[in-house]
């Protein structure tokens, strides 16, 4: 898993300036919080689940990384210009190499606070959980990729 995390960290050269705050014209913290939700990936040939929201955004990013799909990776992150496509291509199939079956992974979204949330990934193979911040940009959820914890 350390190798996977190292590859994931290299996918973005830097997302400086992304402090998790919402951008101009985005939601405010005074908006009521939505309850936490979770989703699991569907075993439908590696396709992301149909569940909307923050969890799906993180799932989509993980599948794009595992498929080495730079275009999909850039569509789902907050700072697409920071994605290094060579690293994304090199990351292809690294989850399987680490013993992770993406069809068994559970993505749990925390409460939505304004236009942001946190998604926790439970890998299901004794690998420690990871969390990613997500932000609503317009009507879509996007991953703040450098937020892995």
């Amino acid at each position: 898993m350390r190798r996977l995390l190292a590859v994931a960290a290299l996918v973005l050269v830097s997302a400086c300036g992304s402090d998790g705050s919402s951008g101009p014209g985005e939601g405010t913290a005074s908006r009521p919080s939505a309850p936490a939700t979770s989703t699991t990936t569907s075993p439908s040939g590696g396709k992301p689940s149909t569940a909307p929201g923050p969890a799906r955004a993180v799932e989509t990013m993980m599948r794009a990384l595992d498929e080495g799909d730079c275009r999909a990776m850039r569509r789902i992150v907050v700072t697409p210009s920071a994605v290094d496509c060579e690293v994304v291509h090199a990351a292809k199939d690294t989850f399987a190499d680490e013993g992770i079956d993406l069809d068994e992974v559970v993505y749990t979204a925390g409460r939505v606070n304004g236009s942001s949330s946190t998604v926790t990934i439970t890998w299901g193979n004794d690998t420690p959980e990871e969390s990613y911040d997500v932000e609503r940009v317009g009507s879509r959820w996007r991953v703040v990729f450098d937020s892995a914890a």
Side-chain angles (χ1 to χ4, degrees), residues 8-18 77-84 145-146:
L10 291 173
V11 171
L12 295 179
V13 289
S14 172
C16 296
S18 179
V77 298
V78 173
T79 52
S81 63
V83 174
D84 182 340
F145 190 81
D146 64 339

Side-chain angles (χ1 to χ4, degrees), residues 1-8 41 46 58-59 61-63 65-67 91-107 121-130 132:
M1 185 64 189
R2 287 184 183 153
R3 182 172 51 141
L4 174 63
L5 293 174
V7 168
T41 59
V58 174
E59 176 185 357
M61 182 187 72
M62 291 300 162
R63 289 194 181 275
L65 184 60
D66 191 52
E67 293 168 6
K92 184 176 172 72
D93 298 324
T94 57
F95 287 100
D97 293 345
E98 296 293 332
I100 295 171
D101 180 351
L102 287 179
D103 291 333
E104 300 298 322
V105 172
V106 176
Y107 302 87
I121 302 173
T122 305
W123 297 105
N125 71 342
D126 297 329
T127 300
E129 291 182 339
E130 288 183 48
Y132 286 86

Side-chain angles (χ1 to χ4, degrees), residues 12 26 29 33-34 40 42 44 57-59 66 72 75 85 87 96-97 101 103 105 107 110 115-116 120 139 147 149:
L12 295 179
E26 303 232 354
S33 295
T40 56
S42 65
S44 59
V58 174
E59 176 185 357
D66 191 52
R75 281 192 308 255
C85 287
V87 176
D97 293 345
D101 180 351
D103 291 333
V105 172
Y107 302 87
S115 62
S116 63
T120 301
S139 63
S147 66

Side-chain angles (χ1 to χ4, degrees), residues 136-147:
R136 189 175 6 236
V137 178
S139 63
R140 298 190 66 199
W141 286 97
R142 303 217 183 260
V143 180
V144 181
F145 190 81
D146 64 339
S147 66

